[in-house]
Amino acid sequence: AAGFYPSLVLSETKPLQALRARGRFGGARGRLRRGLVVFQFGLTILLMIGTASVDRQLRYIRNKDLGYDRNRLLAVSLPGESRSRVEVLKEALRREGAVAQVTGTAAGMANLNWSSGTADWPGKNPDLNVITYNNYVDEAFLETFGVSLRAGRFFSKDFPADGEGYVINEAFERLMGSGSAAGKTLTYWKRTGPIVGVLKDF
């Protein structure tokens, strides 16, 4: 479309006449043509910059280390009453030869949409208001997602009290102050429990 008008003008112009009558392309019409060419050239540059920016963003999304292994990972959302049959589904999937690991989480890794500002711990600065995002996971979460444990341990069926415990990430541990947070107490949504372990940021 951009090349249609110039080609139309050139097709109507005889080569000899173009060489002799240089004034045809001058005046107001010439300025309009030059303005359109400059506009088209500027638009092309903007489009090239935009394309390069989008390409960089897509490469960033594809190559960014998210802190967990997203290769060969399939997330299935269970609506409504299906959630009560999670253990049955997990057991059926474990029997499949093509499935290496199965875990259950309340929210997807890319969409932790539950947040709260109720996190509290001994020695916390009362002026510090922290909005934290959380997820409910089972003991197979660590191995399934390939998330790295930095301190302490992860939830285990060998420790029934883990149902009241927490696992936090490094960013949360830094907010809590110096020293390892593993073993300390955390209150979240008015529920107090021990910090079982610390994960590397993901």
Side-chain angles (χ1 to χ4, degrees):
F4 177 74
Y5 178 71
S7 63
L8 185 65
V9 171
L10 290 174
S11 66
E12 293 177 349
T13 304
K14 297 175 183 177
L16 188 60
Q17 184 181 1
L19 290 172
R20 288 179 179 173
R22 296 176 61 188
R24 177 180 175 182
F25 294 100
R29 293 181 65 187
R31 286 193 294 274
L32 176 63
R33 286 194 190 97
R34 283 194 296 272
L36 289 173
V37 169
V38 170
F39 172 74
Q40 179 179 324
F41 184 68
L43 194 61
T44 301
I45 292 174
L46 286 175
L47 288 172
M48 289 174 67
I49 292 171
T51 303
S53 299
V54 170
D55 179 63
R56 287 183 63 186
Q57 288 294 317
L58 289 174
R59 276 191 281 121
Y60 175 82
I61 291 170
R62 285 194 299 265
N63 301 323
K64 171 66 178 172
D65 180 13
L66 301 178
Y68 66 91
D69 186 8
R70 59 183 175 179
N71 294 320
R72 300 177 302 280
L73 195 63
L74 174 66
V76 179
S77 178
L78 300 179
E81 296 178 1
S82 303
R83 295 174 186 172
S84 63
R85 299 180 59 82
V86 169
E87 291 303 322
V88 176
L89 176 62
K90 284 162 62 176
E91 193 56 41
L93 288 171
R94 286 190 186 103
R95 289 196 296 267
E96 292 291 327
V99 179
Q101 280 292 338
V102 183
T103 189
T105 66
M109 287 289 275
N111 187 26
L112 297 179
N113 50 12
W114 288 328
S115 65
S116 175
T118 63
D120 193 20
W121 58 88
K124 177 188 175 187
N125 182 347
D127 296 328
L128 181 64
N129 184 23
V130 182
I131 302 297
T132 55
Y133 288 83
N134 65 88
N135 197 359
Y136 291 91
V137 302
D138 64 17
E139 67 283 347
F141 171 86
L142 199 69
E143 191 173 354
T144 304
F145 281 95
V147 179
S148 299
L149 187 67
R150 197 191 61 73
R153 60 176 177 81
F154 200 69
F155 301 122
S156 171
K157 286 185 176 179
D158 297 333
F159 299 90
D162 280 359
E164 298 297 319
Y166 298 96
V167 173
I168 63 173
N169 66 354
E170 292 173 303
F172 198 116
E173 184 183 48
R174 286 192 294 272
L175 281 173
M176 293 182 71
S178 60
S180 175
K184 293 182 180 178
T185 302
L186 176 67
T187 301
Y188 197 72
W189 278 339
K190 298 182 179 179
R191 196 188 75 172
T192 301
I195 296 175
V196 177
V198 180
L199 299 176
K200 289 189 176 180
D201 287 340
F202 62 88

